[in-house]
Amino acid sequence: MLPFSRVAIIGLGLIGSSVARAVRQHMPTVRLTGHDADPQVRGVADRLQLCDDIADSAGAAVTDADLVILCVPVGAVGAVASEIADDLPADAIVSDVGSSKASVAAALSAALPNNQIVPAHPVAGTENSGPEAGFSTLFHGRWCILTPVEGTDPTAVARVQAFWRALGAEVETMTPEHHDLVLAVTSHLPHLIAYTIVGTASDLEQVTRSEVIKFSAGGFRDFTRIAASDPTMWRDVFLANKDAVLEMLQRFTEDLTALQRAIRWGDGDALFDLFTRTRAVRRSIVEQGQDDARPDFGRAHD
Amino acid sequence: MLPFSRVAIIGLGLIGSSVARAVRQHMPTVRLTGHDADPQVRGVADRLQLCDDIADSAGAAVTDADLVILCVPVGAVGAVASEIADDLPADAIVSDVGSSKASVAAALSAALPNNQIVPAHPVAGTENSGPEAGFSTLFHGRWCILTPVEGTDPTAVARVQAFWRALGAEVETMTPEHHDLVLAVTSHLPHLIAYTIVGTASDLEQVTRSEVIKFSAGGFRDFTRIAASDPTMWRDVFLANKDAVLEMLQRFTEDLTALQRAIRWGDGDALFDLFTRTRAVRRSIVEQGQDDARPDFGRAHD
């Protein structure tokens, strides 16, 4: 028994096209429709045969769907939801894949008061964008967080849960507010810091940009990968999850100041203690299968 | 013609043992001697047959060498150099692999005034430590920076350059001071920030440590890898390269504050502009072969 038989995907970038590929692989009998606001992306999606049908409007893509997934930047969710409101079947469940959830949950509920809404966030991705960057195994072994608002039909939640499990993900449920706090620290703050340091490095006068690039293997390159993530998506995330991001940033800055002071005063013990503590966190992440322990992430050495 | 025929490696951790393995692979006729202050490490090195001979003292390891490489934390370089001074042949060239260079160059010159000194920094590594973590291809395609002080015999520099090229590295020469500035931004600051954010995340009250680990795939895990690097080595680097690290930290903090302000005031354009600029830096790094462009760094998805 499949949880859904007609799935519509609005937005066919990295995540939307990966969902389409994963549905094809794991639920080949599902009828897939899709739409993207960019005609060029629709052309690529057609050529790649990502869906059974690529519609020219978001409304046309959803007319027959029992699950609609909005895979657009979180700042666009409200507008897209309004766009599909008239064409959306009353029994269709609406979900999304956005990286912040409180603002998305509110926007979806406001625009689509008569539908069951189950906001979702698959915690997976790469630094690449667009329909050609997706792949069907992106969600394998990764977490997908559902943030249904109070009063949502438990059956709707269970079906969306079954959908993500079928794509290979593990599913967790929490409130939108708690999600936004957790992701502020595990995802939004790391991105913000990576963007900052890459910017700082490109602005130096004493060190050339070419030197920064040449000697990036000392740690910097790991930051550049994150800082290459989609600019529109991330602008929207920071604006949508402002309060939690600012709180985490405040804590980070305090901790960084303490470390700066330890360096200035030559307090080697304080540095050593922190560095020993953080090593243990890494071990837990590798043990729990959320990263690869091979030297250099399994990068090719030859 | 090999640049050296008898190489001594003092310190057999990740880097020292990788140098030993790489010499074995690329210059199999070189006679390799080694020493490590830790008897347990010496035992492992013996068992792995990393060298032709593992000596019980640093002095005994260098008596017959024409190249001596100190692969110890930068804070220990001066003490180890004094330890080998009496046994060191006058024509032996002394080098190291430390991540900061001005303090190392000064310590080596002070302790060994009669030998040619060619400090070196292979910009390569992993988050793992110890003799079993090394591998022979660690330096392939990576940069090794030489920082000879003024007055060094050019032939000595050329021989060390030939040595690193033979191990598969590309070689660049610069002053110790410029090296310390370049590496402060490409390596030391990224490590400092990664250590900080991993510490910040483990200290939260509202978000559990298990949540941080579970949902780390959103960006955080990339920081934890760096924050798992050797605590002793990094304590020494920050203390040895204090001035350059503090200067870069100051610039980073200013830039982060500007971004914080943009988020607080909802200035999406400022965010978008920076995020677009940083993406270009990433492209250059991948183009120049200093990282892997595959989605997720080539991590296994299944």
Side-chain angles (χ1 to χ4, degrees):
Chain A
M1 262 299 285
L2 292 174
F4 299 99
S5 56
R6 298 175 311 279
V7 174
I9 301 171
I10 310 299
L12 295 165
L14 168 68
I15 302 295
S17 75
S18 292
V19 173
R21 288 175 171 96
V23 168
R24 280 267 196 259
Q25 185 189 322
H26 295 284
M27 295 175 267
T29 60
V30 162
R31 180 170 158 79
L32 262 179
T33 55
H35 170 73
D36 194 285
D38 182 342
Q40 212 176 327
V41 171
R42 293 203 296 273
V44 174
D46 246 339
R47 179 167 55 73
L48 297 174
Q49 299 190 288
L50 289 178
C51 298
D52 297 301
D53 187 53
I54 302 291
D56 283 339
S57 74
V62 306
T63 43
D64 199 34
D66 54 4
L67 173 67
V68 176
I69 310 179
L70 306 187
C71 304
V72 300
V74 292
V77 163
V80 174
S82 303
E83 216 179 310
I84 62 171
D86 289 344
D87 296 294
L88 190 66
D91 60 351
I93 293 171
V94 179
S95 187
D96 77 309
V97 296
S99 299
S100 75
K101 296 265 69 87
S103 70
V104 163
L108 288 175
S109 301
L112 307 167
N114 304 317
N115 284 76
Q116 290 295 319
I117 311 279
V118 184
H121 177 200
V123 185
T126 77
E127 69 276 27
N128 302 311
S129 308
E132 287 170 302
F135 49 99
S136 67
T137 55
L138 178 60
F139 311 109
H140 281 193
R142 297 281 163 250
W143 287 93
C144 182
I145 304 173
L146 307 186
T147 64
V149 292
E150 228 175 308
T152 308
D153 177 6
T155 318
V157 178
R159 287 172 70 192
V160 174
Q161 191 168 35
F163 175 81
W164 281 102
R165 289 215 170 114
L167 302 192
E170 302 200 63
V171 180
E172 180 98 353
T173 301
M174 59 179 75
T175 66
E177 292 70 28
H178 190 65
H179 167 279
D180 286 0
L181 210 53
V182 172
L183 272 289
V185 69
T186 60
S187 178
H188 307 172
L189 183 58
H191 275 80
L192 190 68
I193 287 167
Y195 279 124
T196 305
I197 191 175
V198 175
T200 305
S202 346
D203 289 344
L204 296 172
E205 315 85 36
Q206 316 103 307
V207 178
T208 67
R209 176 116 161 217
S210 123
E211 285 176 320
V212 168
I213 290 166
K214 262 165 91 169
F215 306 118
S216 61
F220 185 73
R221 67 173 177 194
D222 291 14
F223 288 71
T224 62
R225 189 186 74 85
I226 306 186
S229 301
D230 191 74
T232 307
M233 170 193 155
W234 281 98
R235 176 199 61 199
D236 282 8
V237 168
F238 293 122
L239 299 180
N241 197 22
K242 181 168 99 169
D243 293 343
V245 168
L246 289 177
E247 189 195 326
M248 293 305 165
L249 195 48
Q250 184 59 38
R251 285 166 180 266
F252 169 80
T253 306
E254 284 167 22
D255 293 346
L256 188 62
T257 304
L259 221 48
Q260 182 170 358
R261 195 167 181 281
I263 292 173
R264 195 178 298 280
W265 293 96
D267 184 355
D269 291 346
L271 300 177
F272 186 83
D273 288 349
L274 172 67
F275 301 172
T276 305
R277 201 154 62 85
T278 54
R279 205 169 209 191
V281 175
R282 173 67 184 175
R283 281 204 195 103
S284 307
I285 287 176
V286 171
E287 275 163 24
Q288 297 190 20
Q290 291 301 309
D291 207 349
D292 189 322
R294 286 175 295 166
D296 263 10
F297 277 135
R299 287 181 186 108
H301 295 289
D302 296 282
Chain B
M1 261 300 286
L2 293 173
F4 299 98
S5 56
R6 297 175 311 279
V7 175
I9 301 172
I10 310 299
L12 295 165
L14 167 68
I15 302 296
S17 75
S18 293
V19 173
R21 288 175 171 95
V23 168
R24 280 266 194 257
Q25 185 189 322
H26 295 285
M27 295 175 267
T29 60
V30 163
R31 180 170 158 77
L32 261 180
T33 54
H35 170 73
D36 194 285
D38 181 342
Q40 211 177 328
V41 170
R42 293 203 297 273
V44 175
D46 245 339
R47 180 168 54 74
L48 296 175
Q49 300 190 285
L50 288 178
C51 298
D52 297 302
D53 187 54
I54 301 291
D56 283 338
S57 74
V62 306
T63 43
D64 198 35
D66 55 4
L67 172 66
V68 175
I69 310 179
L70 307 186
C71 303
V72 300
V74 292
V77 163
V80 174
S82 304
E83 215 179 309
I84 61 171
D86 289 343
D87 297 294
L88 191 67
D91 61 350
I93 294 171
V94 178
S95 187
D96 77 309
V97 295
S99 300
S100 76
K101 296 265 68 89
S103 70
V104 163
L108 288 175
S109 302
L112 307 168
N114 303 319
N115 284 77
Q116 291 295 319
I117 311 280
V118 184
H121 177 201
V123 186
T126 77
E127 69 276 27
N128 302 310
S129 309
E132 288 170 302
F135 49 100
S136 67
T137 54
L138 179 61
F139 311 109
H140 282 193
R142 297 281 162 250
W143 287 93
C144 182
I145 304 174
L146 307 186
T147 64
V149 292
E150 227 175 310
T152 308
D153 177 6
T155 317
V157 178
R159 286 172 71 194
V160 175
Q161 189 168 36
F163 176 81
W164 281 102
R165 288 214 172 113
L167 302 192
E170 303 199 63
V171 180
E172 179 97 355
T173 300
M174 59 180 76
T175 66
E177 292 68 30
H178 189 64
H179 167 280
D180 286 359
L181 210 54
V182 172
L183 272 289
V185 69
T186 60
S187 177
H188 307 171
L189 183 58
H191 275 81
L192 191 67
I193 288 167
Y195 280 124
T196 305
I197 191 174
V198 174
T200 305
S202 345
D203 290 343
L204 296 172
E205 315 84 38
Q206 317 102 307
V207 177
T208 67
R209 176 115 161 220
S210 123
E211 284 176 320
V212 167
I213 290 166
K214 261 164 94 169
F215 306 119
S216 61
F220 185 73
R221 67 172 176 194
D222 291 15
F223 287 71
T224 62
R225 189 186 74 84
I226 307 186
S229 301
D230 190 74
T232 307
M233 170 193 156
W234 281 98
R235 177 199 61 198
D236 283 8
V237 168
F238 293 122
L239 299 179
N241 197 22
K242 182 167 97 168
D243 292 343
V245 168
L246 289 178
E247 189 195 325
M248 293 305 165
L249 196 47
Q250 185 58 38
R251 286 166 179 266
F252 169 79
T253 305
E254 284 168 23
D255 293 346
L256 189 61
T257 304
L259 221 48
Q260 182 170 359
R261 197 168 181 281
I263 292 172
R264 197 179 295 283
W265 293 95
D267 184 354
D269 291 346
L271 299 176
F272 186 83
D273 288 349
L274 172 67
F275 301 171
T276 305
R277 200 153 63 85
T278 54
R279 205 170 210 190
V281 175
R282 173 67 184 176
R283 280 202 197 103
S284 307
I285 286 176
V286 171
E287 276 163 24
Q288 296 191 21
Q290 293 300 310
D291 207 348
D292 189 322
R294 284 175 298 166
D296 263 10
F297 276 138
R299 285 180 187 111
H301 295 290
D302 295 284

